[in-house]
Amino acid sequence: MKSFTYVRAKSPADAASMAASTSGARFIAGGTNLLDLMKLEIETPPHLIDVNGLGLDKIEDTPSGGLRIGALVRNTDLAADDRVRRDYGVLSRALLAGASGQLRNKATTAGNLLQRTRCPYFYDTAQACNKRQPGSGCSAVRGFSRQHAIIGASTACIATHPSDMAVAMRVLDAAVETVLPNGKSRQIKMKDFHRLPGATPHIETSLQSGEFITAVTLPKPLGGTHVYHKVRDRASYAFALVSVAAVIQADGRGRVAFGGVAHKPWRVEAAERELPNGAAAVAARVFADAVPTPENEFKRILAERTLAGVLSETRGRS
Amino acid sequence: MSNPANISTSRRDVLRAGGAVAAVSGMASRAAAQPTEISLPVTSQVHLQVNGKPQTLELDLRTTLLDALREHLHLTGTKKGCDHGQCGACTVLVEGRRINSCLSLAVMHEGEAITTIEGLGTPDNLHPMQAAFIKHDGYQCGYCTPGQICSAVAVLDEIKAGLPSHVTTDLTATPELSAVEMRERMSGNICRCGAYSNIIEAMSEVGGLTA
């Protein structure tokens, strides 16, 4: 690990302004992803800004009937919150499908959104990776691509976003609250938060330099049946090959987003009109522009079948 | 987390450090810091409450909680397996919650209470989970065992506290103590010898689950 200096931020605005004025500085919250990457020297921040202890660990009701989740709320606590379990079951389910008990006790809401891809070529510093070393190329494109994206990728990067939580946040239309280095705050909708790789896969979110996440807000509950199905190579503690987050109403209408298939949670609102017509109709719309490799074309079929399982389960329950 | 004065640094210090960090790398301690452009230390004094005893350490900021416990406090019961949060051998309890001590900086635990395998029980006075692991042969080589036991103790507490898991059928109900629940919750602790079924036997006995 490269040497670094360390400070504890005194407020969210302090964190943002310090980050903007210190080249290469990184926020550290749970640290479960960042420290791993620092040990491998994939991340080499010269300066860490500890954002624990800013009072951002609370879950509050909002005036519009939703929830405001502090950026530092641990994954364990968010999944176990009574309101989340009752009204946003898809979010609890997604969190509980991710990582291990030990990691969820440390990992935070904002950190989960900002975690880096688990693409093996990103992790292997002997390989070309435009995300790790912009302009160096992409070894994954002609490499082992079983785990990689089937849609929304580019010739520069075919990595997937590893988060389960973010897929549920996307289906719930969550918004990310931030503070900018100038002290002003703003909201970024989940659909605009993560970027597609394009020619700049190292720029993963729409956050500006130094911009600091303070909370994630959920609109008022949707009702319906909440399901998160994750398909992976072992039954627990593995990243998704494909996942489906869905909220389905009694009349068959609803929302659905897919994980493990793209550089961001993948949701096509126009395709949701097809939900009453079944999984094949939805998947045909959602994955119309898919460009899989021979090694990961199974994901297109797996996604449709996983959705079919979700829909049959929700029909049984409503 | 407390915010003690020993890491109090003004914004101006940070600004100065921004352009000069490469030069800081080789410097030893805060005491050696010169009144120059370089003013931020790369070591820190850290206070921990380990197994009930207060400890003060002067650590390189890069020191993980795991290395602080093993290399500085010589509490070698906690094991380093993968050092990347994948195996669970380094599991300890921090303020009563289990974490991977390899993926946490010691400096980020200022003032916190850490419990390691040495703090759960002693050879003469075993923790019930330690005794149950021996009774049920919950290990072979034993390398993963301290992490398994720390995790197992926390898992029973988590179920008792009503925290849901991936296999909890009804999210709004209180989860029940069952083999399925324990297996899912123990998935962050890998055992290459494959003692899993005996570990669940040991946990079942301590948790009061009758088969």
Side-chain angles (χ1 to χ4, degrees):
Chain A
M1 199 187 300
K2 298 280 189 206
S3 192
F4 54 84
T5 54
Y6 169 89
V7 290
R8 296 188 181 119
K10 294 177 184 67
S11 68
D14 177 47
S17 105
M18 285 197 295
S21 57
T22 311
S23 173
R26 294 295 306 264
F27 301 122
I28 187 163
T32 52
N33 187 214
L34 182 58
L35 283 171
D36 185 25
L37 294 169
M38 285 168 64
K39 287 182 181 191
L40 297 164
E41 299 192 359
I42 294 163
E43 296 258 18
T44 54
H47 185 63
L48 290 182
I49 301 166
D50 185 344
V51 295
N52 292 279
L54 297 180
L56 300 175
D57 55 355
K58 295 169 192 71
I59 304 172
E60 302 158 317
D61 298 320
T62 64
S64 54
L67 285 182
R68 184 173 186 275
I69 303 156
L72 272 284
V73 173
R74 309 287 154 171
N75 287 179
T76 297
D77 300 317
L78 183 55
D81 184 271
D82 285 338
R83 294 160 291 185
V84 177
R85 285 157 79 172
R86 185 188 64 221
D87 297 329
Y88 305 95
V90 66
L91 179 55
S92 276
R93 288 288 181 204
L95 285 159
L96 295 170
S100 67
Q102 290 97 314
L103 290 167
R104 292 192 298 270
N105 278 344
K106 283 294 281 177
T108 63
T109 307
N112 189 309
L113 292 177
L114 294 175
Q115 66 180 303
R116 312 293 306 274
T117 184
R118 280 3 182 246
C119 172
Y121 300 96
F122 173 71
Y123 266 77
D124 182 350
T125 51
Q127 301 284 342
C129 174
N130 288 318
K131 200 180 262 303
R132 175 167 33 76
Q133 184 81 46
S136 63
C138 173
S139 290
V141 168
R142 284 183 195 78
F144 295 102
S145 55
R146 178 173 174 269
Q147 299 170 47
H148 291 78
I150 59 170
I151 194 161
S154 70
T155 53
C157 180
I158 58 170
T160 56
H161 196 272
S163 172
D164 294 296
M165 185 197 80
V167 185
M169 293 291 197
R170 177 70 182 89
V171 94
L172 291 169
D173 274 337
V176 179
E177 278 186 17
T178 69
V179 59
L180 292 148
N182 64 10
K184 294 200 169 119
S185 53
R186 68 164 177 156
Q187 278 215 348
I188 307 167
K189 291 177 180 166
M190 263 304 287
K191 80 178 166 69
D192 302 321
F193 184 78
H194 291 108
R195 293 162 45 101
L196 289 179
T200 54
H202 59 292
I203 305 170
E204 296 172 347
T205 69
S206 52
L207 292 173
Q208 296 172 17
S209 172
E211 188 168 9
F212 174 67
I213 299 174
T214 50
V216 176
T217 55
L218 300 179
K220 68 175 198 285
L222 295 166
T225 302
H226 289 229
V227 185
Y228 189 77
H229 271 202
K230 178 175 180 178
V231 184
R232 42 186 162 174
D233 284 332
R234 58 184 179 199
S236 183
Y237 197 18
F239 291 97
L241 289 167
V242 162
S243 70
V244 172
V247 178
I248 307 295
Q249 305 296 335
D251 62 4
R253 291 180 301 118
R255 301 179 178 188
V256 62
F258 296 84
V261 296
H263 201 253
K264 60 189 282 186
W266 200 255
R267 179 177 172 201
V268 178
E269 276 89 337
E272 292 170 354
R273 284 198 294 273
E274 302 286 351
L275 274 168
N277 300 325
V282 177
R285 289 289 298 273
V286 170
F287 297 108
D289 299 324
V291 186
T293 68
E295 286 183 9
N296 67 21
E297 61 189 352
F298 75 94
K299 284 191 176 187
R300 160 72 182 75
I301 302 152
L302 188 59
E304 180 182 321
R305 290 179 181 168
T306 307
L307 177 61
V310 166
L311 295 180
S312 90
E313 185 185 323
T314 55
R315 271 195 295 275
R317 275 204 254 159
S318 57
Chain B
M1 178 184 290
S2 60
N3 208 351
N6 62 4
I7 303 273
S8 68
T9 311
S10 74
R11 183 171 161 232
R12 202 175 55 227
D13 291 335
V14 179
L15 295 174
R16 281 202 303 260
V21 169
V24 176
S25 306
M27 288 187 51
S29 73
R30 183 162 33 96
Q34 301 297 308
T36 63
E37 286 288 284
I38 305 154
S39 58
L40 273 180
V42 291
T43 69
S44 175
Q45 200 173 72
V46 180
H47 305 84
L48 303 172
Q49 191 79 20
V50 182
N51 299 328
K53 267 175 66 180
Q55 301 281 0
T56 301
L57 298 169
E58 185 76 23
L59 298 174
D60 185 306
L61 286 168
R62 291 171 289 186
T63 312
T64 59
L65 179 59
L66 173 62
D67 286 340
L69 293 169
R70 286 183 55 86
E71 309 300 331
H72 295 266
L73 295 173
H74 308 295
L75 292 169
T76 52
T78 307
K79 300 300 185 224
K80 183 180 280 192
C82 68
D83 209 26
H84 288 281
Q86 296 176 4
C87 77
C90 67
T91 303
V92 300
L93 307 177
V94 175
E95 299 286 326
R97 295 172 71 139
R98 57 182 171 141
I99 68 162
N100 300 112
S101 61
C102 74
L103 283 188
S104 206
L105 295 173
V107 70
M108 293 177 72
H109 293 285
E110 175 65 34
E112 291 187 342
I114 320 292
T115 304
T116 69
I117 189 71
E118 292 93 342
L120 282 181
T122 63
D124 299 327
N125 184 22
L126 295 173
H127 184 281
M129 192 65 79
Q130 291 172 312
F133 266 63
I134 293 169
K135 179 179 165 188
H136 293 278
D137 262 343
Y139 55 88
Q140 287 181 41
C141 83
Y143 196 80
C144 72
T145 311
Q148 297 277 3
I149 290 176
C150 285
S151 213
V153 168
V155 162
L156 295 187
D157 287 346
E158 288 165 14
I159 295 175
K160 207 174 280 179
L163 299 182
S165 86
H166 174 60
V167 298
T168 306
T169 316
D170 181 357
L171 269 184
T172 57
T174 307
E176 287 181 0
L177 182 69
S178 69
V180 173
E181 281 281 359
M182 289 188 285
R183 274 201 291 270
E184 159 60 23
R185 291 167 195 259
M186 290 296 288
S187 70
N189 291 84
I190 309 297
C191 170
R192 282 224 41 194
C193 305
Y196 297 113
S197 64
N198 293 355
I199 290 170
I200 296 300
E201 294 287 314
M203 292 177 68
S204 298
E205 178 172 312
V206 177
L209 179 69
T210 44

